[in-house]
Amino acid sequence: MMGVNMRSVQQDLSGKVAVVTGAGRGLGKAIVDVLAARGAHVVVNDLTLEPAEQAAAEVRTRGESASAVAFDVADPHKVNDAFAKIRTDHGRVDILINNAGIGDFVSFPDISPEKWDRMLDIHLKGSFNCCQAVLAGMKQQGYGKIVNISSVAGKRGDFIGNAHYTAAKAGIIGLTKSLALYAAPFGINVNAVAPGLFATELTDGMSSEMKATTISRIPAGRLGRPEEIGRATAFLVSEDASYIFGETLSVNGGSYMD
């Protein structure tokens, strides 16, 4: 019985304030649901308020705690203003999940300069902006958990040629390692999660042929379930992961192994 209680304490997030970006739907929403279920107050971010508020409202209907905020992670001024308000409203930020992103299934020759810039602005620059916005507060409180959502594509490349997406996600892994080295002495854990292909709205944009080809390369024989990313992320922000720094946890059904 003591062991069971100890495990529950290590995974408990009661009293923690978590911010999850790009969380109105998809993997971000699944992360929100798991963190809230484990006791955190979750601030749900999206580009516009409606999907963020809808996700937060669903959390509250279950008797858990969530609020919503809208800002573009690619805009450092809006990011800083939003996090200043979050600290005013909630006193602190304990957990940051950089999940905001976009999909764009195109081959290498079809990547325009505008597509390249927007992809890196949201995924890589957006993660950087939010990390900078929370770092001073986490250093002051001597505690923080940051998880950046990368991708299996950032480790192996992407077989359909999404070079802009792949470059952004590989950059997130580098950002994670560098920030982890800097932040560890301040009691801040920085890690990443690299999902494979999951059943979300993003995969709805893939052709059936592309989806079937991708699933055929997954040893588990299926797409991932969003809650599986939620649980992996919750592990990295729990006390069970207190001695893990700068790692990228692959959650991909065995489709790529380091």
Side-chain angles (χ1 to χ4, degrees):
M1 182 64 70
M2 184 177 295
V4 173
N5 289 337
M6 184 175 294
R7 284 196 295 273
S8 65
V9 168
Q10 294 294 89
Q11 296 172 4
D12 183 46
L13 299 176
S14 297
K16 305 299 184 186
V17 176
V19 179
V20 185
T21 67
R25 61 179 186 168
L27 296 184
K29 184 175 182 297
I31 293 169
V32 166
D33 289 343
V34 175
L35 297 185
R38 297 192 182 186
H41 173 84
V42 186
V43 181
V44 184
N45 157 262
D46 215 298
L47 184 61
T48 57
L49 190 59
E50 184 177 358
E53 181 52 55
Q54 183 174 344
E58 289 181 19
V59 169
R60 294 193 295 267
T61 62
R62 297 191 294 270
E64 297 155 1
S65 183
S67 55
V69 62
F71 59 86
D72 184 351
V73 297
D75 186 327
H77 301 294
K78 291 181 179 177
V79 168
N80 289 333
D81 289 347
F83 276 94
K85 186 176 188 307
I86 291 168
R87 286 191 295 271
T88 298
D89 291 345
H90 303 288
R92 56 194 288 132
V93 175
D94 301 292
I95 297 166
L96 168 65
I97 313 298
N98 284 309
N99 170 78
I102 56 174
D104 187 28
F105 297 103
V106 295
S107 64
F108 189 91
D110 297 323
I111 301 172
S112 65
E114 293 77 19
K115 285 178 177 288
W116 178 274
D117 288 346
R118 186 58 178 161
M119 186 67 71
L120 267 70
D121 277 352
I122 295 174
H123 288 270
L124 184 54
K125 183 181 175 184
S127 296
F128 167 78
N129 287 340
C130 293
C131 286
Q132 275 209 329
V134 301
L135 192 59
M138 288 183 174
K139 285 170 64 176
Q140 185 176 24
Q141 65 201 29
Y143 177 91
K145 306 284 187 180
I146 297 174
V147 175
N148 300 316
I149 305 301
S150 179
S151 169
V152 64
K155 289 189 167 189
R156 72 171 184 207
D158 195 318
F159 69 91
I160 66 170
N162 276 334
H164 54 342
Y165 180 83
T166 296
K169 291 303 193 180
I172 286 173
I173 293 174
L175 170 65
T176 298
K177 291 179 178 180
S178 293
L179 182 55
L181 289 170
Y182 173 81
F186 303 104
I188 303 168
N189 297 78
V190 184
N191 292 288
V193 172
L197 192 63
F198 277 72
T200 68
E201 295 88 344
L202 184 62
T203 56
D204 292 340
M206 299 174 68
S207 68
S208 57
E209 181 181 357
M210 182 187 298
K211 190 179 296 186
T213 299
T214 302
I215 292 175
S216 72
R217 303 182 183 199
I218 302 173
R222 63 172 175 86
L223 299 178
R225 295 185 288 268
E227 62 269 20
E228 292 172 313
I229 285 295
R231 291 196 295 266
T233 304
F235 162 70
L236 287 175
V237 302
S238 74
E239 289 310 301
D240 283 336
S242 59
Y243 202 55
I244 300 177
F245 298 86
E247 290 298 318
T248 299
L249 178 60
S250 294
V251 187
N252 59 39
S255 61
Y256 182 83
M257 303 180 190
D258 294 299

